[in-house]
Amino acid sequence: FLVVAMKHVYPQGLVLQFQVLNTLEDQMLQECSVELDTKELTSLKIRESIPASLVRYSEPSWCFVILESPDPDAELLVPDFGVVPAKLVYRVSEVDPLTQEPLDAQGFPDTFTLEELELELKDYIQPLVLTDSFDNVWSEMEASAATVRETYVLPHETVATAVEAVADYLAMAPCGDSLAVSSSATQHELLLAGIFLGGFRLLIRASFYKSLPSRKIPASRS
């Protein structure tokens, strides 16, 4: 079975849509759902699971899982991150490969382990294409918006690969040509713009520097 997960993020909840494709022409799935192990999540709980009533051979079907905040009065979802184990739960019936008619309408229960589902920071961010220059928007926001400065050591051998990794991790819109980096660059500035969960504008100015290896001075001998 091939299962593709799509995440739909809303201010009050997260809807996980799973497309299920049955590649076995002699089997049919009934009441097919995705079961998630959310014990590692702290801000989300499962509100409802909507199964696919029937999954025939080579015909995509969909099932859904709705996650929400455990606080019913929360106006805005608290972003949650982590790896969520998942499995496909269903009843399987044998069918005639030629007619696709079930040979056993009742079937029997079965499960199929899926790859883990990961909730990441970029799931809560939409890219934002600026209509003005990055510097102008930055100056406008700097007077009223909160500013956070952090320093990180990244495990990348070149500035170019570090820039690419950060841009992919955040999935925000690059501004200007700041995503273009020379493979030999030792420093670079990446400019990103996005909309965070709840409609908040987010700008990032990331400065990258490649640290040079320290030179060892040989010990003197007398």
Side-chain angles (χ1 to χ4, degrees):
F1 309 113
L2 177 63
V3 179
V4 178
M6 290 162 278
K7 306 166 189 173
H8 305 277
V9 182
Y10 298 92
Q12 286 80 31
L14 183 66
V15 177
L16 303 176
Q17 177 181 352
F18 299 93
Q19 177 181 282
V20 183
L21 182 64
N22 174 16
T23 65
L24 302 175
E25 60 182 4
D26 61 347
Q27 291 187 7
M28 177 180 68
L29 309 184
Q30 302 178 62
E31 295 302 311
C32 180
S33 62
V34 172
E35 187 175 292
L36 302 176
D37 181 357
T38 60
K39 63 183 179 183
E40 296 300 324
L41 300 181
T42 59
S43 302
L44 292 172
K45 69 174 184 179
I46 296 177
R47 189 189 81 184
E48 188 176 357
S49 179
I50 304 173
S53 58
L54 198 62
V55 183
R56 297 183 181 275
Y57 166 66
S58 196
E59 295 181 5
S61 297
W62 290 267
C63 55
F64 302 84
V65 177
I66 302 174
L67 302 172
E68 67 176 7
S69 169
D71 181 4
D73 298 324
E75 296 182 0
L76 183 63
L77 181 71
V78 177
D80 213 336
F81 312 99
V83 175
V84 182
K87 62 182 178 181
L88 203 63
V89 180
Y90 51 87
R91 297 187 65 83
V92 59
S93 299
E94 293 187 5
V95 300
D96 186 320
L98 296 179
T99 65
Q100 288 298 299
E101 291 298 320
L103 303 177
D104 176 14
Q106 187 66 22
F108 59 90
D110 200 1
T111 61
F112 181 74
T113 300
L114 304 174
E115 292 182 20
E116 294 176 322
L117 179 73
E118 186 172 3
L119 296 181
E120 305 173 87
L121 177 60
K122 62 184 178 183
D123 294 330
Y124 303 94
I125 300 176
Q126 288 184 332
L128 171 64
V129 178
L130 300 180
T131 56
D132 199 354
S133 71
F134 182 90
D135 287 339
N136 287 345
V137 179
W138 179 279
S139 298
E140 173 192 327
M141 290 181 60
E142 197 171 22
S144 57
T147 302
V148 178
R149 290 181 174 86
E150 298 286 350
T151 301
Y152 303 94
V153 177
L154 303 179
H156 302 283
E157 295 185 358
T158 67
V159 168
T161 54
V163 169
E164 182 181 357
V166 169
D168 178 69
Y169 178 74
L170 296 171
M172 297 168 64
C175 301
D177 58 354
S178 67
L179 195 57
V181 192
S182 168
S183 59
S184 59
T186 57
Q187 61 183 24
H188 185 75
E189 185 175 66
L190 174 66
L191 308 177
L192 300 172
I195 299 289
F196 194 66
L197 178 68
F200 301 100
R201 284 195 302 177
L202 177 64
L203 297 183
I204 290 182
R205 186 190 297 270
S207 298
F208 295 79
Y209 301 92
K210 181 178 181 180
S211 59
L212 300 177
S214 59
R215 297 180 60 186
K216 293 184 178 180
I217 302 176
S220 60
R221 294 183 180 181
S222 57

